[in-house]
């Protein structure tokens, strides 16, 4: 294992601001091509390190800034590719990890003529790589490679589903659904311009998400080669996949990487090298991808696809499915409500452990689950035996001549839903955890694998010759053991830890205010609101507050709105004043305000410079021990706190802390309530990588 020493304190090797990176000119391209040609016989790692070196050809490009840690990373990634090994690289903020892995990766692909995949967690990073970093390196190669971006399937519109949605009347009960009409007009205008069919161009609001779900490309509602849009090459999803199949480098996301592994490589096609960026999220994403979540709307969306002729066997089967679904999810809602104390339960979960399954009050849910699974299976058999044109109003289908295919596709979807209900409610699988949940007044059924290390090892890591996992936060207390075991990459993977070049000792201040009541005390939120009020008033806004739950965010938002009403400072709450993207844009345009964000604000949010002067952390981000998945995972451990709860919190806290210092000019305090009650205390971080040791 290789662990690089931290950079000297006060090091000034800082990253160039992302937006400053400019495309190389002809002279730089010539110099790079000449250097690569002259070093053709040298190891890949040496060539990559030379290109990024202070005297190398990349240094001639405008706004390029040499970073020693980046060169170390490029060398290590190059060696990993050449030796067909596995590598874990933690590269602190400002190291420039994108160029640190893209430079050797593109050189390797150009030399070997083999394919590589880069997978990120967030679409933001995916777009940054595709729009800026990848073209920068690619243009410096003697012969640029073909590269492609492939997002998850649901990012692309399905034209067949869109035509079906367009034909549906825009009523919400008896009312005209103006939001649906507005959404349709927006999509109609967009379709005249888009070349990608990618939803990111639409900038959907939170309210429009429900409509997008009805037109996004979806595995369980795709006719494949039988679809007219497939044959005419108009399908955006198919075009994106065709483009990716021909590319030497494919930039995708964790979800698609895992979907590909489930489908035996049919999505991404064969590749020989893999770089997973933001790899600290890999376990969570694999859990989501390999698990199941089910709501009644998932069933009704399948049933709504079939405009059955009234009175026939198909119409009857569809109606029985609707009724069974209503009953099941109604019973789940009642059960969860009672278990959580009666009345309207709001948000909450009930784990389906053996004790709950054996309890008398679960019998109604179990019966409803069996009944629904049976009804769906019987309905699937009816659809499989029916003739399309004789049982559905074919003229209402997007492709009337494909009515039989529509029935067959719906039958497959119903069987899958029946199987999921069986697994979650009636007959749980080994090594899986199941739970019932209420969220936004909707009942949900969930199943997740307790461990994802086996599937990741077998279907992702063992598939490639060389694998690199990287992130700004992979280690805990200087050790990579937590990540290594959680994702199952194996003991042979080498390690490299590269400290951030930022001078945290002089740039950051940790403030641990005494007197903040415990999180579960009634006055906790009032004190947090008062603290934020004081900070924001002194700093003229420019403050980000991070929450671990949506409830506290809403209550602090209400309190702060009152307190700051006459100050001229805006209070921007995630989900209250807009989507994450919208409030972030508002804050970037005018930082005279307080930005309140929950889970997705802890990482991937980049507010460089003066705009952000302070971060307040409402509560240390420990996983909730009563969460069914957390409980199932910690039950298997000798030391649940030390082996799971604490390392998870450390990684998340480091991400949250990292929102503040994004460049060498950034300065400011991070306020966080300490674990134990103590007096007001101000301390400076003692290490370059803040809070990386449990102590
Ligand atoms: S091929 Fe599939 S995703 Fe594409 S338009 Fe047809 S049904 Fe939709």
């Amino acid at each position: 294992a290789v662990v690089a020493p931290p950079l000297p304190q006060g090091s000034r090797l800082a990253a160039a601001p992302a937006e400053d990176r400019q495309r190389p000119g002809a002279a730089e391209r010539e110099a790079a091509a000449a250097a690569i040609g002259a070093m053709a016989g040298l190891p890949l790692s040496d060539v990559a390190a030379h290109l990024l070196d202070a005297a190398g050809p990349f240094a001639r490009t405008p706004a390029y800034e040499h970073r020693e840690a980046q060169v170390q990373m490029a060398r290590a990634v190059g060696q990993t590719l050449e030796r067909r090994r596995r590598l874990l690289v933690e590269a602190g903020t400002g190291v420039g990890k994108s160029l640190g892995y893209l430079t050797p990766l593109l050189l390797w692909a150009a030399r070997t003529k083999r394919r590589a995949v880069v997978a990120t967690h967030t679409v933001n990073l995916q777009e940054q790589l595709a729009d800026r970093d990848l073209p920068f390196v690619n243009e410096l190669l003697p012969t640029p490679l073909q590269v492609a971006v492939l997002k998850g399937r649901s990012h692309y519109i399905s034209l067949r589903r869109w035509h079906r949605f367009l034909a549906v009347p825009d009523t919400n009960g008896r009312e005209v659904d103006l939001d649906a009409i507005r959404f349709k007009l927006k999509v109609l205008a967009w379709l005249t311009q888009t070349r990608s069919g990618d939803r990111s161009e639409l900038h959907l609001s939170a309210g429009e998400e429900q409509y997008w779900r009805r037109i996004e490309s979806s595995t369980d509602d795709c006719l494949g080669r039988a679809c007219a849009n497939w044959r005419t090459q108009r399908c955006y999803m198919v075009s994106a996949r065709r483009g990716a199949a021909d590319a030497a480098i494919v930039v995708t996301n964790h979800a698609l990487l895992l979907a590909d592994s489930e489908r035996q490589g049919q999505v991404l096609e064969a590749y020989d090298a893999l770089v997973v960026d933001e790899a600290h999220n890999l376990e969570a994403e694999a859990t989501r991808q390999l698990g199941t979540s089910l709501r009644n709307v998932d069933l009704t969306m399948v049933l709504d696809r079939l405009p059955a002729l009234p009175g026939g066997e198909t119409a009857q089967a569809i109606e029985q499915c609707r009724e069974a679904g209503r009953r099941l999810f109604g019973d789940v809602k009642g059960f969860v409500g009672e278990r959580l104390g009666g009345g309207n339960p709001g948000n909450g979960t009930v784990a389906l452990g053996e004790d709950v399954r054996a309890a008398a009050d679960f019998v109604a849910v179990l019966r409803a689950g069996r009944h629904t699974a049976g009804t769906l299976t019987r309905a699937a058999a009816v659809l499989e035996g029916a003739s399309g044109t004789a049982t559905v109003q074919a003229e209402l289908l997007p492709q009337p001549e494909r009515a039989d295919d529509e029935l067959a596709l719906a039958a497959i979807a119903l069987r899958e839903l029946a199987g999921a209900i069986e697994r979650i409610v009636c007959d749980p699988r080994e090594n899986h955890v199941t739970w019932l949940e209420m969220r936004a007044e909707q009942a949900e059924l969930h199943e997740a694998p307790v461990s994802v290390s086996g599937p990741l090892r077998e279907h992702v890591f063992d598939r490639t010759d060389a694998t690199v996992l990287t992130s700004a936060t992979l280690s805990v207390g200087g050790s990579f053991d937590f990540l290594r075991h959680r994702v199952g990459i194996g003991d042979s993977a080498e390690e490299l830890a590269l400290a951030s070049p930022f001078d945290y000792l002089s740039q950051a201040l940790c403030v641990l205010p005494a007197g903040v009541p415990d999180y579960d005390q009634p006055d906790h939120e009032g004190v947090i609101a008062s603290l934020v009020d004081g900070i924001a008033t002194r700093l003229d806004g420019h403050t980000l507050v991070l929450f671990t739950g949506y409830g506290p965010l809403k209550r602090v938002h209400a309190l702060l709105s009152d307190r700051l009403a006459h100050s001229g400072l805006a209070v921007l709450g995630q989900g209250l004043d807009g989507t994450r993207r919208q409030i972030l844009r508002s804050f970037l345009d005018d930082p005279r305000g307080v930005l309140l964000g929950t889970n997705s604000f802890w990482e991937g949010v980049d507010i460089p410079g003066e705009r952000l002067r302070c971060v307040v952390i409402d509560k240390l981000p420990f996983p909730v021990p009563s969460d069914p998945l957390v409980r199932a995972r910690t039950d298997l451990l000798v030391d649940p706190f030390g082996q799971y709860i604490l390392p998870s919190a450390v990684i998340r806290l480091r991400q949250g802390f990292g929102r503040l210092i994004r460049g060498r000019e950034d300065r400011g305090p991070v306020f966080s309530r300490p674990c134990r009650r103590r007096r007001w205390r101000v301390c400076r971080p003692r290490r370059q990588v803040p809070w990386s040791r449990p102590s």
Side-chain angles (χ1 to χ4, degrees):
V2 188
V3 179
L7 289 171
Q9 287 181 3
S11 163
R12 291 293 176 192
L13 297 172
E19 55 272 22
D20 285 355
R21 184 163 298 140
Q22 293 170 17
R23 293 287 174 87
E28 288 92 36
R29 285 204 296 269
E30 241 173 64
I36 293 168
M39 299 177 81
L42 292 181
L44 185 72
S45 49
D46 289 348
V47 183
H50 172 71
L51 290 179
L52 290 163
D53 194 72
F58 283 19
R60 299 181 187 196
T61 57
Y64 179 80
E65 194 164 343
H66 171 251
R67 284 159 268 179
E68 188 52 41
Q70 189 180 61
V71 176
Q72 286 184 49
M73 180 171 177
R75 192 180 285 282
V77 172
Q79 286 173 353
T80 302
L81 293 167
E82 281 180 317
R83 297 174 189 171
R84 303 181 179 194
R85 304 293 301 259
R86 292 174 183 172
L87 175 69
L88 309 174
V89 193
E90 178 175 275
T93 312
V95 164
K97 66 177 159 45
S98 307
L99 289 195
Y101 62 74
L102 286 177
T103 306
L105 193 68
L106 268 71
L107 285 171
W108 171 86
R111 265 192 187 186
T112 62
K113 308 281 181 266
R114 294 162 80 189
R115 291 181 81 231
V117 167
V118 178
T120 69
H121 178 62
T122 57
V123 172
N124 280 357
L125 180 57
Q126 204 179 358
E127 288 173 352
Q128 177 199 307
L129 294 178
D131 297 343
R132 222 188 47 214
D133 301 332
L134 205 43
F136 176 83
V137 181
N138 205 18
E139 286 176 18
L140 288 166
L141 295 178
T143 310
L145 298 167
Q146 190 169 344
V147 300
V149 176
L150 189 57
K151 294 186 179 174
R153 179 173 195 137
S154 60
H155 281 265
Y156 302 98
I157 188 171
S158 161
L159 290 176
R160 181 175 139 274
R161 299 189 85 200
W162 160 245
H163 286 128
R164 184 198 289 138
F165 179 59
L166 204 54
V168 171
D170 301 304
T171 51
N172 194 350
R174 288 187 185 170
E175 308 266 310
V176 174
D177 188 347
L178 288 176
D179 290 339
I181 294 172
R182 272 190 218 105
F183 177 76
K184 285 181 177 178
L185 291 172
K186 184 173 175 177
V187 175
L188 276 170
W190 170 63
L191 282 174
T192 62
Q193 299 161 4
T194 183
R195 294 178 61 190
S196 68
D198 179 349
R199 57 169 280 169
S200 65
E201 297 169 358
L202 267 174
H203 304 301
L204 297 172
S205 68
E208 289 169 338
E209 290 288 341
Q210 55 167 321
Y211 302 118
W212 176 261
R213 280 195 71 200
R214 301 178 65 173
I215 62 171
E216 68 191 14
S217 172
S218 156
T219 316
D220 75 0
D221 190 12
C222 176
L223 284 181
R225 291 176 194 282
C227 175
N229 301 299
W230 182 302
R231 278 180 272 123
T232 55
Q233 306 203 345
R234 291 193 62 223
C235 174
Y236 294 106
M237 182 276 297
V238 174
S239 300
R241 289 192 177 177
R242 282 194 184 125
D246 295 336
I249 305 284
V250 181
V251 180
T252 187
N253 58 13
H254 293 181
L256 199 65
L257 176 74
L258 294 153
D260 176 65
S261 71
E262 275 186 288
R263 305 192 63 187
Q264 290 79 43
Q266 290 172 13
V267 181
L268 294 171
E269 307 283 344
Y271 56 89
D272 303 298
L274 171 67
V275 176
V276 181
D277 202 339
E278 300 174 318
H280 60 281
N281 283 309
L282 192 57
E283 184 189 23
E285 191 55 53
T287 304
R288 245 190 306 278
Q289 201 63 32
L290 299 173
T292 305
S293 298
L294 212 58
R295 293 183 302 165
N296 196 28
V297 69
D298 297 313
L299 172 59
T300 54
M301 271 173 53
V302 175
L303 303 174
D304 288 347
R305 281 159 32 185
L306 299 175
L309 287 166
E313 198 185 4
T314 300
Q316 209 178 353
I318 288 174
E319 199 40 49
Q320 284 166 354
C321 289
R322 272 190 215 285
E323 182 51 39
R326 267 196 295 269
R327 185 179 139 199
L328 170 63
F329 286 93
D331 284 349
V332 169
K333 189 172 180 176
F335 174 78
V336 175
E338 285 304 317
R339 284 270 169 168
L340 296 180
N344 189 344
N347 291 349
T349 58
V350 176
L352 294 180
E354 282 179 20
D355 52 336
V356 173
R357 289 181 183 277
D361 58 347
F362 186 67
V363 173
V365 175
L366 184 61
R367 269 200 209 122
R370 284 202 182 116
H371 172 71
T372 308
T375 305
L376 266 53
T377 308
R378 284 192 294 280
V382 170
L383 299 187
E384 283 158 356
S387 151
T389 43
T391 54
V392 296
Q393 303 172 59
E395 68 280 9
L396 296 182
L397 296 172
Q399 282 179 253
E401 76 285 5
R402 291 287 177 184
D404 286 345
D405 292 319
E406 290 276 1
L407 287 178
L409 204 54
I412 292 171
L414 289 181
R415 283 192 191 282
E416 281 177 4
L417 289 170
I421 293 168
E422 274 281 344
R423 294 197 309 269
I424 298 171
V425 178
C426 314
D427 191 10
R429 288 192 285 181
E430 236 181 278
N431 303 323
H432 284 71
V433 58
T434 52
W435 69 96
L436 307 177
E437 186 164 341
M438 283 301 301
R439 193 186 304 187
E441 300 191 11
Q442 298 285 324
E444 299 178 356
L445 316 180
H446 291 271
E447 180 200 44
V450 176
S451 169
V452 293
S453 60
L456 279 174
R457 185 171 47 242
E458 190 180 336
H459 301 301
V460 179
F461 305 138
D462 287 352
R463 255 188 75 188
T464 55
D465 283 352
T467 304
V468 176
L469 303 190
T470 186
S471 162
T473 54
L474 283 188
S475 69
V476 177
S479 162
F480 288 80
D481 287 354
F482 177 64
L483 178 97
R484 192 187 283 281
H485 293 134
R486 298 310 312 173
V487 302
I489 194 160
D491 292 338
S492 63
E494 291 173 316
E495 300 171 354
L496 178 65
L498 298 165
S500 166
F502 300 148
D503 184 2
Y504 285 101
L505 285 173
S506 67
Q507 290 181 250
L509 197 67
C510 303
V511 184
L512 310 178
V516 179
D518 280 347
Y519 187 69
D520 51 3
Q521 295 300 308
D523 49 347
H524 172 85
E525 284 148 13
V527 175
I528 289 288
S530 157
L531 179 70
V532 175
D533 173 9
I535 293 167
T537 305
R538 286 183 205 192
L539 296 180
D540 198 26
H542 302 82
T543 299
L544 168 67
V545 190
L546 296 173
F547 294 85
T548 54
Y550 193 59
L553 182 151
K554 272 200 324 202
R555 291 187 287 274
V556 171
H557 180 277
L559 293 168
L560 267 181
S561 300
D562 285 346
R563 283 173 164 272
L564 295 175
H566 304 295
S567 65
L569 299 175
V571 180
L572 299 166
Q574 185 182 3
L576 298 170
D577 302 294
T579 60
R580 175 183 188 270
R581 189 188 187 104
Q582 287 164 339
I583 61 169
L584 196 52
R585 172 61 28 220
S586 302
F587 189 81
L588 286 167
D589 289 345
D590 181 6
R592 289 194 67 246
V594 182
L595 192 56
L596 310 181
T598 180
N599 295 333
S600 63
F601 270 82
W602 284 76
E603 53 186 279
V605 170
D606 201 359
I607 310 173
E610 263 294 288
R611 290 188 183 102
L612 186 63
R613 296 175 183 162
C614 177
V615 170
V616 179
I617 291 173
D618 168 51
K619 173 181 171 263
L620 291 178
F622 287 106
V624 181
S626 60
D627 178 282
L629 189 56
V630 173
R631 203 184 319 160
R633 286 182 171 164
T634 51
D635 276 353
L636 301 174
L637 302 171
V638 179
D639 172 15
F641 187 76
Q643 288 177 280
Y644 188 84
I645 302 281
L646 184 61
S648 304
V650 168
I651 286 179
R652 194 145 184 74
L653 182 59
R654 292 178 64 201
Q655 283 287 340
F657 185 99
R659 296 313 97 211
L660 183 67
I661 307 296
R662 310 301 298 169
R664 64 179 163 180
E665 302 303 329
D666 293 353
R667 272 169 177 63
V670 174
F671 284 72
S672 171
R673 184 188 173 280
C675 278
R676 281 182 229 101
R677 206 172 281 268
R678 54 180 82 174
R679 299 176 60 194
W680 270 92
R681 184 172 157 221
V682 177
C683 62
R684 289 180 187 281
R686 280 179 288 178
R687 303 185 71 235
Q688 285 287 309
V689 182
W691 298 351
S692 63
R693 283 191 188 281
S695 61

